[in-house]
Amino acid sequence: MAASTSPNGQGPLRVSHKPWDSPLMSPAMSNTVDRHERYRLTNRFVEVEQRPCIPVSGEIHFSRLPRSRWEERLRLMKAGGVTVVACYVFWIHHEQHEGEVRFEANLDVAAFVRLCESIGLDVVLRIGPWCHGEVRNGGFPDWLQTAKVRHRTNDPAYLQLVARWFNRLGTHLHGVMGPASNVIGIQIENELYTEPQHIIELKRLARKAGLSAPIWTATAWGGADLPHDEVLPLFGGYGDGFWVEADAPWDSTFREHFFFSHVWDDPGIGADLREHLGSNDGGAEAAKPRTPSPLYPAATCELAGGMATAYQRRPWPQALDVAAVAHNKIGNGSAWQGYYMFAGGINPADNLQESHATGYPNDLPRFDYDFHAPICASGRLTGSFAELRKQHAFLSAFGDRLVQMPSTLPDTLPKGIDDTSTLRWALRSDGHSGFVFITWHQPHIPLAPHHATRFEVALETGPVTLPSQAVTVPPGTIAHWPLNLEVGGVTLEWATASPLSILGPDTSPTLVLAAEAGIPVEICLPEGTSLSGPADGSAGNTYVIDGNDLASGSVVLEARSAHTALNILVLSPESATQAWILDTAAGRELLLSEEPVWVAASGQLAGRSAGVPDVRRYNPASASFEAVPVQGGTSAPPALRPAVELRRPSRPVPYTFGSLAGRASAPSQETLDALSMAYKVGVPAEIFSGGEHAELEITWAGDIAQLLVDGVLVADRYWDGSPWVLEIHDAGITPASEVTLQILPLSKAARVGLPLDAQRRRDAVPGDLAALDSVQLTSWSSWHEKVSYAN
């Protein structure tokens, strides 16, 4: 692969700041209609408590999690930088049988909203009534799906049923909505393309039922025709998806998200349903791609937090894949970062999944909805959690400035999605200060190092050129470099490290920067400002940090002007990945931990560890990291190998179990029972004494795996090469349980699309693929910060 360089192999990459093309204005929504005490919209940004900001919303489905897990998941989401929780309210989960509406246990929406409020999280309720979410009938109960009505239209018979459901939901939520509520958004319908009047009517019915919020939204992708004044259009972006054909190449609708662009629509999302269900269910041919409304800012609700696994196609997005798409949207001008999913889950009962049997184009697992999300269904964190956490810390600290900066694309753009040599970057600037966004990563088609990279940015106050010498941008670089960044009265003209946060009081702040792997850290200061610490200042006002100094994990510097000083903490790439920026009882703090950390109800630190907790806190006074004293955790060996006994060998499998519209169908349970190999898994009693969280991790290969507890199916998984992790208490496993693992072989000829590494393993065997590589049990113990009280 040939390495890429700047155009013509010489000279900087150029961009000229472009100001906003329309004046700042306030729409009726949230300003004169549905006013709220904290939230309001402008055409450029969301304002929270009279401060422009970039909300970060993460999807979690309360009904796909045990109620006992809600609080930890929510605290983890907040620790990951999520400020708003988004969740579908699936009608089918609440009223499977007509007239029997349930809001108890993990269906108690009001209790979930109140819990979010107690943790400091706002909420967007996505009330449908049709939701999708890979749920049976898109969330319609069977009795509604078969009703003699024209679904998703203004058919009076259909609206009567919807009004009844909305009224019951409104009654349940009475007292948790209103101008002071943490319910700050309501989404109407989902992926409805040609029925703007229906959206207006649904909004009217919801309001009549007592459902209220300052912001009403609707999904806008696929060229959706939305009522102009009634809803904030929301967009999405997935770098891969299960909804294309099994053998399809990496689709252009996925690839485009790895480029900076001012096109927000994604015609790929929901395209399979548009084609398969047709106009009777709100589908239609994708219209001309729509743009954000001039009334509202560019906002998203479905940036890929991962991806669901369908039987016929099984993507497994990696951490940088997720981070790259999200980062590009920020560089494109996003005013709201919304992820789907941020926390995975498990369907609350069998046969509640999207399936061919219910006329939908994909067979999804009967239980599994892990989604490869930043927080897995088991509660384990994936690599994407740490990558997104860094971006969200940046948005928390600098979002009030960033959101007022329009996005400008560079003079030289990639020639198309096949261009792997032109650097992908963009500018957000207010004409004086700004950030250069660089994303040099994509999956499937590797990128080469980009050599001879320098930038020339034309601002209203004059040009800024960085770095002092051209650098090589390695593949995997996701960076946002500051221009004329002022903190505490000290200005950085530029730096080749990404701002992470600001710690400490305004009178003595510490700017935290994250170094990029393989790129020297340079900091340029204006005349009259000096820098002290382990940095080479031989190039005038440009200082270079020696990579050896960062080997310890961090470097502390002091920038001093005539009247003030700024402490600068530079984290190595490895330390930045372990960094948590948390608002505790002591204020905003920087922690380093490889394991989960959050803020407990007391305002003190808490977390979960598979051994002795190792959490370090940055102390600005001593400019050093200090161990956090904790209570809890364990020094016991965290991993156990349970006894595994083969009870039944597998049998040959056919290459197909049927299909629908050319897509492979999943086998029936009878077929699985007849052809799968079966293992008895002995779960030792000692694993239950280690704490309230214990994971069963299964590394395997094949087609479908199922876990049965005392003969009852409780979990399933389609193989994509990733380990299968389950929380044993959530799976209903007790010391007395009989646990059976079934693995169905994968036919070599099955029309199933797999990630590259999984496909290579499949290709390496001459026939059917079925293997159990390992089974491991890990016990996690909770801990909390030990607080010393003075006498």
Side-chain angles (χ1 to χ4, degrees):
M1 180 191 307
S4 56
T5 64
S6 296
N8 304 317
Q10 59 184 2
L13 302 167
R14 293 182 171 86
V15 66
S16 297
H17 160 75
K18 293 183 175 62
W20 295 101
D21 58 7
S22 60
L24 180 67
M25 60 182 185
S26 300
M29 185 192 297
S30 78
N31 289 286
T32 58
V33 178
D34 294 321
R35 295 185 64 178
H36 193 266
E37 292 181 4
R38 292 182 297 118
Y39 273 75
R40 80 175 194 93
L41 290 171
T42 75
N43 60 325
R44 295 180 185 173
F45 51 79
V46 181
E47 195 174 87
V48 181
E49 296 180 339
Q50 301 182 342
R51 175 175 173 262
C53 76
I54 299 181
V56 176
S57 58
E59 188 91 11
I60 179 174
H61 296 155
F62 56 85
S63 57
R64 278 174 159 158
L65 286 170
R67 185 165 175 165
S68 60
R69 300 296 179 191
W70 284 358
E71 182 170 355
E72 183 187 288
R73 295 297 195 278
L74 292 171
R75 292 196 182 278
L76 268 175
M77 290 175 74
K78 187 175 183 182
V82 170
T83 60
V84 179
V85 168
C87 52
Y88 279 131
V89 182
F90 294 116
W91 192 348
I92 191 173
H93 288 180
H94 294 272
E95 193 179 4
Q96 289 192 48
H97 305 288
E98 187 171 7
E100 299 177 16
V101 182
R102 300 171 54 215
F103 290 112
E104 77 278 8
N106 69 330
L107 300 177
D108 191 336
V109 194
F112 181 79
V113 171
R114 291 189 185 101
L115 178 60
C116 290
E117 182 178 33
S118 71
I119 293 170
L121 291 165
D122 292 315
V123 177
V124 171
L125 294 176
R126 307 175 79 187
I127 64 172
W130 189 90
C131 296
H132 197 199
E134 291 70 66
V135 170
R136 182 182 179 93
N137 308 324
F140 283 167
D142 284 0
W143 59 264
L144 174 62
Q145 183 70 17
T146 57
K148 303 300 182 183
V149 298
R150 286 181 289 117
H151 299 85
R152 307 176 72 187
T153 71
N154 281 346
D155 176 5
Y158 172 69
L159 292 176
Q160 183 179 9
L161 298 174
V162 172
R164 187 177 68 186
W165 161 237
F166 279 1
N167 285 334
R168 287 167 173 165
L169 183 59
T171 299
H172 172 71
L173 290 170
H174 179 72
V176 300
M177 291 185 158
S181 167
N182 66 318
V183 178
I184 55 87
I186 295 176
Q187 179 181 307
I188 296 294
E189 252 284 344
N190 191 64
E191 297 173 350
L192 190 66
Y193 304 98
T194 60
E195 295 283 345
Q197 292 303 312
H198 182 50
I199 289 177
I200 292 173
E201 182 61 20
L202 289 175
K203 180 178 176 180
R204 186 189 70 81
L205 292 176
R207 293 174 65 131
K208 186 177 180 181
L211 301 171
S212 64
I215 302 172
W216 295 79
T217 75
T219 55
W221 51 78
D225 183 6
L226 301 178
H228 186 64
D229 299 322
E230 299 289 339
V231 288
L232 165 67
L234 295 180
F235 297 91
Y238 291 92
D240 208 339
F242 66 81
W243 48 80
V244 299
E245 301 306 316
D247 54 358
W250 190 27
D251 194 79
S252 62
T253 59
F254 303 139
R255 297 176 66 178
E256 288 167 352
H257 294 294
F258 293 91
F259 294 80
F260 290 97
S261 165
H262 292 162
V263 175
W264 288 90
D265 202 347
D266 182 342
I269 305 175
D272 58 337
L273 285 175
R274 283 197 298 272
E275 297 165 2
H276 187 78
L277 297 180
S279 58
N280 287 340
D281 283 287
E285 283 297 316
K288 179 182 178 182
R290 66 165 294 134
T291 58
S293 167
L295 293 177
Y296 307 114
T300 61
C301 65
E302 288 201 18
L303 300 179
M307 181 47 58
T309 305
Y311 183 74
Q312 60 97 27
R313 195 165 190 273
R314 310 174 185 186
W316 179 15
Q318 301 300 297
L320 288 182
D321 305 343
V322 172
V325 172
H327 193 252
N328 283 359
K329 299 307 175 184
I330 301 173
N332 293 347
S334 173
W336 186 317
Q337 292 286 95
Y339 299 93
Y340 189 96
M341 300 281 296
F342 204 86
I346 297 175
N347 289 329
D350 198 2
N351 292 317
L352 287 177
Q353 81 285 8
E354 175 182 329
S355 69
H356 287 177
T358 55
Y360 277 63
N362 303 288
D363 265 334
L364 274 291
R366 289 157 65 178
F367 288 94
D368 180 58
Y369 202 67
D370 178 86
F371 213 85
H372 296 301
I375 306 174
C376 292
S378 67
R380 179 180 291 192
L381 305 185
T382 65
S384 60
F385 187 95
E387 294 297 328
L388 294 177
R389 189 173 68 224
K390 290 186 290 186
Q391 295 183 26
H392 301 161
F394 165 66
L395 295 180
S396 177
F398 302 97
D400 58 337
R401 312 184 200 191
L402 181 69
V403 79
Q404 299 182 75
M405 299 175 175
S407 169
T408 304
L409 300 179
D411 296 353
T412 302
L413 295 171
K415 299 176 179 64
I417 59 174
D418 294 317
D419 186 340
T420 58
S421 60
T422 304
L423 189 69
R424 302 166 190 179
W425 67 290
L427 170 71
R428 288 190 73 167
S429 169
D430 58 11
H432 169 70
S433 60
F435 299 89
V436 170
F437 286 82
I438 308 163
T439 304
W440 194 233
H441 171 79
Q442 66 180 21
H444 307 305
I445 302 172
L447 300 174
H450 189 277
H451 297 305
T453 306
R454 290 186 83 199
F455 302 95
E456 184 178 291
V457 182
L459 300 176
E460 293 173 358
T461 52
V464 178
T465 302
L466 70 156
S468 62
Q469 300 293 325
V471 297
T472 294
V473 176
T477 297
I478 298 176
H480 35 272
W481 293 347
L483 307 173
N484 294 327
L485 177 64
E486 186 275 326
V487 178
V490 174
T491 297
L492 276 65
E493 288 194 352
W494 53 262
T496 58
S498 296
L500 185 70
S501 190
I502 301 173
L503 307 176
D506 294 340
T507 55
S508 181
T510 297
L511 171 65
V512 185
L513 300 177
E516 324 297 350
I519 300 177
V521 176
E522 279 193 278
I523 297 174
C524 182
L525 302 173
E527 291 289 338
T529 303
S530 61
L531 191 71
S532 60
D536 179 6
S538 59
N541 280 8
T542 301
Y543 300 81
V544 181
I545 298 174
D546 191 302
N548 293 327
D549 291 319
L550 274 175
S552 64
S554 62
V555 165
V556 180
L557 309 167
E558 183 186 66
R560 182 172 290 277
S561 64
H563 304 290
T564 188
L566 172 68
N567 296 313
I568 302 174
L569 173 65
V570 183
L571 300 178
S572 68
E574 296 75 20
S575 293
T577 301
Q578 298 177 32
W580 302 69
I581 305 293
L582 302 180
D583 291 325
T584 72
R588 178 163 292 179
E589 297 194 78
L590 165 62
L591 292 304
L592 296 183
S593 175
E594 293 184 352
E595 295 183 316
V597 184
W598 58 82
V599 180
S602 65
Q604 305 300 322
L605 298 176
R608 180 168 21 97
S609 175
V612 178
D614 180 14
V615 184
R616 290 171 291 155
R617 170 193 282 121
Y618 184 72
N619 183 346
S622 63
S624 63
F625 285 93
E626 302 170 352
V628 175
V630 302
Q631 288 182 315
T634 177
S635 58
L640 296 173
R641 299 282 183 178
V644 178
E645 177 188 347
L646 180 65
R647 288 293 185 87
R648 184 182 70 237
S650 63
R651 297 173 58 191
V653 293
Y655 76 93
T656 181
F657 301 102
S659 64
L660 179 68
R663 296 187 175 188
S665 298
S668 66
Q669 188 60 50
E670 293 74 18
T671 299
L672 279 158
D673 292 339
L675 304 182
S676 296
M677 56 185 182
Y679 293 88
K680 178 183 178 182
V681 179
V683 179
E686 60 203 272
I687 197 69
F688 294 92
S689 63
E692 68 283 357
H693 191 103
E695 293 174 351
L696 176 65
E697 181 173 346
I698 302 166
T699 306
W700 63 291
D703 191 1
I704 300 176
Q706 294 185 322
L707 194 76
L708 294 88
V709 176
D710 298 325
V712 177
L713 177 65
V714 297
D716 60 343
R717 184 85 162 188
Y718 295 165
W719 184 66
D720 56 14
S722 64
W724 186 20
V725 183
L726 304 102
E727 207 294 318
I728 63 172
H729 302 88
D730 297 349
I733 298 173
T734 69
S737 296
E738 180 176 304
V739 180
T740 302
L741 172 66
Q742 293 193 156
I743 297 177
L744 180 72
L746 178 61
S747 168
K748 198 171 186 68
R751 193 163 178 260
V752 169
L754 296 171
L756 181 59
D757 287 345
Q759 185 60 45
R760 284 172 175 163
R761 181 168 185 181
R762 181 187 189 186
D763 292 340
V765 299
D768 297 345
L769 174 62
L772 179 60
D773 301 330
S774 67
V775 180
Q776 177 176 295
L777 286 159
T778 303
S779 179
W780 293 76
S781 296
S782 297
W783 60 264
H784 62 272
E785 183 178 2
K786 186 188 297 183
V787 181
S788 298
Y789 296 96
N791 292 330

